[in-house]
Amino acid sequence: MYARNASLDDACQVFDKMPLRNSHAWTAILRVHVDLGLLEEACEFAEELVCELACVSLDFFVFPVLLNICCGLGELELGMQLHGLLVKQGFVANVYVCNALIDMYGKCGSLEDAKKVLEGMPEMDCVSWNSMINACAANGMVNEAFDLLKNMSESGLTPNLVSWSAVIGGFSRNGYDIEAVEVLSKMLGSGLKPNAQTLASVLPSCARLLRFRFGKELHGYIMRNEIFLNSFVVNGLMDMYRRCRQMGSAFTVFSKFSRKCAASYNTMIVGYSENGNILKARELFDQMREESVEMERISWNSMISGYVDNSMLKEAFILFQDSLKEGVQPDSFTLGSLINGCADMACRETGEVIHSHAIVRGLHSNSFVGGALVEMYCKCNHIVAAQTAFSEVSHRDLATWNALISGYARCNRINVIGELLLRMNDDSFDPNVYTWNGIIAGYVENKHYNSAISLFIEMQSLNLRPDIYTIGIVLAACSKLSTMERGKQVHAYSIRAGYDTDVYIGAALVDMYAKCGGFRYCYAVYNRISQPNLVSHNAMLTAYAMHGDWEEGIALFRRMLAGKVRPDDVTFLSVLSLCVHVGSVETGLECFRLMDTYNVTPTLKHYTCMVDLLSRAGELMKAHELVNNMPMEADSVTWSALLGGCYIHGELELGEIAAKNLIELEPHNSGNYVLLANLYASVGRWHDLAQIRQLLKQKGMQKNPGCSWIEDADGVHVFLAGSPPSFQALAILLEAKSAFARYFH
């Protein structure tokens, strides 16, 4: 009575004053403490009971409560002692007791002992099977749990809701998301309806799989059966909509059905942050404070990481300082997130402040924080500080080693990488795919493109399977080298690995083929992308612009707008480049004005495209006016575009103005003088042409020679204008000429 009325002290006083205690009294006091979560105190009572066994005759129903205490504390040894006592007392044949034993062994991680208990039972009921299924699921042996479910049916017992829910929950918790959804379907097929617990366990799988339509069906079932009162189900629904980027639906659930607890607020804050709506995320964060919702550290961390993920490091740092004033102690996630933000923005000064906070709290030795510090210092080109941060990590893991090795590669310290790999091996870590990705990315960043491709080949010889990130990096190297044969090999690998339909790999392949001159492959690659997005559309538009296919490029742009794809600055740059190729001033002006409609601010490159377009079309005064009215200073490319137009249309006066500005910006670029000389030649100003040539001689500058190259099985062979080709180069050219003649014949 006292326990049910939350008067624990009174209950204990009554128990202490009892002259004689039987099994019922001990069961009552033990259950009171277990129900209140006071497991340590319950364990003390259990030890007292064991001491009084000579005076107390125990009944079987005491032991399940005692075993429940062992489950809560993970006390396997105590549980085994109780098992021995059960054998002595002759209770091991009792179904109720055996079920509790299976549960205890399962929750304490001793699955073999749980199986022995089940196999030794003279009679099993549904609870026995469910206890074993739960034990397997809790220990990650989900396939065994599913087999038990089938065996249970074969034994003549019908699996109930608990049986199915245990298997579904086990699959979901262990990342077998497809299996979790499939088992739910089988459960529905058996005629059983899921309850709140079942739905709460399967919704995370639905969210991770991005099964939006299936999630909506579950939402409908929840509404029809009035299960929306369960907070776990409601939060699961919100998380599913969040992951599927349906924040409108998530907010509807949050507004109507959630209990406005910290967990529901955190889900919404993370969702809005992920979708770039950081203002809405901050609004909800402030609302939590206004409504006095208990703000845990995770709420602060969610908002801070939201700012970091949206490149708002200053705001993240201010919020971090506010959290300190509120007495919230940062953890490794708080500091690691901020340091990662400093790494992304190469903000060493703020990073060092966060580093000092980590040292004060002893978190600088944490592997997550330490790895973030290593990456931050590497991205800020402070390799000595990165090495120091690395050495202070107490328990280095593979991720920390990868951060250091990647940092050295990024800082172009290639000669040290071999030594680091040996040290890593001495530390009992073998390089994995992420190690190689870091090195390959460092090679590409520092323009060691051939080395990057060689490392990709070597990686496969070591039986390390390149992942989707590796393919993306190596394709970038192939693009830079304009080596289509190597690019085709990487493409073939991506097809075998099933990566070619990925939107980002597809975009990289389009870019590679466009830059390597294989434009006919671009559209085929683009069409294989499973879910095209703005990145892939932009890659194809850029390919059209690069190869001057105006009609197809503009048609794609129109389809994008009709399909509600919101264009960005890259989209408009590609479209304007297309207009330059064909000289379509009208379409170019239309697209330039359209940028304002989509809130895209023109950059210098957009203005340069317009100057080039107007200049080529002979609208030289408009082009010059645009240069003068730009919101930023014109660069050498802009003036060069204007000068090129003046050369085409023989406009000397304006051409000289453009050339003067161009030479002021790049006084040592011989190409600028050559452009001006060509302009003088086009209008017959031979005296001025001679002066330019004399000036080039005085400055010791020469015109950069033209360059061509051809690729064969032995590599890429380069030909410079004015240089005699080698015997091998001549042979290649003759072979190419012969093949060309045979093709057209």
Side-chain angles (χ1 to χ4, degrees), residues 129 133 143 145-155 157 159:
W129 285 98
I133 289 169
N143 290 315
F146 189 57
D147 289 340
L148 282 168
L149 188 73
K150 291 187 284 187
N151 293 339
M152 182 178 176
S153 300
E154 292 167 4
S155 71
L157 290 170

Side-chain angles (χ1 to χ4, degrees), residues 434-456:
Y434 303 109
T435 317
W436 291 96
N437 284 350
I439 301 170
I440 294 171
Y443 280 150
V444 172
E445 277 185 38
N446 290 286
K447 301 181 180 179
H448 304 302
Y449 305 123
N450 281 314
S451 299
I453 294 171
S454 299
L455 201 58
F456 170 69

Side-chain angles (χ1 to χ4, degrees), residues 389-698:
F390 175 82
S391 62
E392 289 176 348
V393 177
S394 54
H395 297 289
R396 291 190 287 268
D397 56 13
L398 188 56
T400 316
W401 271 107
N402 287 346
L404 183 70
I405 291 169
S406 173
Y408 270 94
R410 189 180 292 114
C411 294
N412 207 17
R413 298 283 296 277
I414 308 298
N415 55 319
V416 186
I417 289 174
E419 180 190 337
L420 287 173
L421 289 170
L422 289 173
R423 284 174 51 198
M424 179 182 177
N425 191 258
D426 292 339
D427 213 1
S428 303
F429 292 109
D430 293 322
N432 63 0
V433 65
Y434 303 109
T435 317
W436 291 96
N437 284 350
I439 301 170
I440 294 171
Y443 280 150
V444 172
E445 277 185 38
N446 290 286
K447 301 181 180 179
H448 304 302
Y449 305 123
N450 281 314
S451 299
I453 294 171
S454 299
L455 201 58
F456 170 69
I457 296 167
E458 183 184 344
M459 181 180 177
Q460 294 173 77
S461 68
L462 296 171
N463 292 324
L464 273 172
R465 185 185 176 189
D467 63 7
I468 198 165
Y469 182 66
T470 324
I471 302 301
I473 307 168
V474 177
L475 282 172
C478 295
S479 296
K480 295 292 184 182
L481 288 171
S482 297
T483 170
M484 190 159 68
E485 285 307 311
R486 285 290 172 84
K488 283 182 177 180
Q489 291 169 19
V490 180
H491 185 184
Y493 180 90
S494 72
I495 292 171
R496 291 196 300 273
Y499 298 147
D500 63 314
T501 57
D502 177 82
V503 65
Y504 295 101
I505 294 300
L509 283 166
V510 170
D511 180 68
M512 183 273 295
Y513 280 121
K515 288 178 178 174
C516 294
F519 179 62
R520 61 197 176 101
Y521 300 113
C522 291
Y523 197 68
V525 170
Y526 172 76
N527 278 339
R528 278 188 58 80
I529 297 171
S530 56
Q531 293 180 320
N533 64 0
L534 183 61
V535 175
S536 55
H537 294 320
N538 283 348
M540 195 64 217
L541 272 176
T542 304
Y544 282 131
M546 201 177 293
H547 292 269
D549 195 337
W550 187 80
E551 287 185 5
E552 289 294 333
I554 291 297
L556 174 59
F557 178 62
R558 303 285 187 207
R559 287 199 301 273
M560 284 173 63
L561 298 183
K564 307 299 182 185
V565 177
R566 193 174 186 83
D568 63 0
D569 58 325
V570 178
T571 316
F572 282 107
L573 188 61
S574 299
V575 174
L576 290 175
S577 298
L578 274 168
C579 295
V580 171
H581 269 289
V582 296
S584 179
V585 176
E586 186 179 342
T587 307
L589 288 170
E590 178 194 343
C591 291
F592 192 70
R593 294 189 195 103
L594 199 60
M595 292 179 73
D596 186 54
T597 306
Y598 289 97
N599 295 321
V600 178
T601 305
T603 65
L604 180 58
K605 289 183 178 180
H606 295 96
Y607 280 106
T608 300
C609 268
M610 288 306 300
V611 170
D612 196 15
L613 176 61
L614 293 169
S615 299
R616 288 171 184 263
E619 303 277 359
L620 295 169
M621 298 313 295
K622 287 184 179 179
H624 188 223
E625 184 182 348
L626 183 61
V627 172
N628 290 332
N629 293 329
M630 287 192 315
M632 69 283 291
E633 289 293 324
D635 66 356
S636 58
V637 182
T638 314
W639 286 114
S640 181
L642 182 59
L643 179 56
C646 293
Y647 165 69
I648 293 169
H649 297 283
E651 175 57 54
L652 181 62
E653 185 179 347
L654 189 54
E656 285 182 320
I657 294 172
K660 179 187 174 185
N661 284 282
L662 188 56
I663 290 168
E664 281 180 5
L665 289 168
E666 293 182 344
H668 303 295
N669 185 347
S670 61
N672 298 333
Y673 296 94
V674 172
L675 277 173
L676 181 58
N678 290 341
L679 175 61
Y680 283 137
S682 68
V683 295
R685 293 273 292 270
W686 308 113
H687 175 70
D688 293 318
L689 170 62
Q691 282 187 327
I692 293 293
R693 288 182 174 173
Q694 185 63 33
L695 185 62
L696 282 170
K697 286 182 181 179
Q698 288 174 1

Side-chain angles (χ1 to χ4, degrees), residues 91-216:
F91 292 142
V92 285
N94 184 285
V95 174
Y96 186 54
V97 170
C98 286
N99 291 344
L101 270 173
I102 293 169
D103 189 52
M104 182 275 295
Y105 279 125
K107 287 178 179 173
C108 291
S110 184
L111 206 57
E112 287 303 315
D113 288 315
K115 287 179 181 177
K116 286 177 184 176
V117 174
L118 183 71
E119 290 164 359
M121 290 177 69
E123 186 181 347
M124 291 176 276
D125 61 7
C126 270
V127 178
S128 314
W129 285 98
N130 289 345
S131 298
M132 195 64 224
I133 289 169
N134 268 311
C136 288
N139 286 276
M141 300 178 70
V142 285
N143 290 315
E144 288 82 350
F146 189 57
D147 289 340
L148 282 168
L149 188 73
K150 291 187 284 187
N151 293 339
M152 182 178 176
S153 300
E154 292 167 4
S155 71
L157 290 170
T158 304
N160 58 15
L161 188 58
V162 176
S163 320
W164 287 98
S165 296
V167 175
I168 292 167
F171 275 125
S172 182
R173 283 193 303 274
N174 289 279
Y176 295 90
D177 297 321
I178 294 174
E179 291 81 355
V181 173
E182 287 175 350
V183 174
L184 176 65
S185 299
K186 289 178 181 177
M187 173 185 158
L188 292 168
S190 72
L192 280 173
K193 291 185 177 181
N195 62 4
Q197 181 188 348
T198 320
L199 293 168
S201 65
V202 81
L203 276 168
S205 289
C206 185
R208 289 190 291 268
L209 290 169
L210 304 179
R211 295 273 186 92
F212 174 59
R213 186 174 295 177
F214 183 63
K216 285 186 74 175

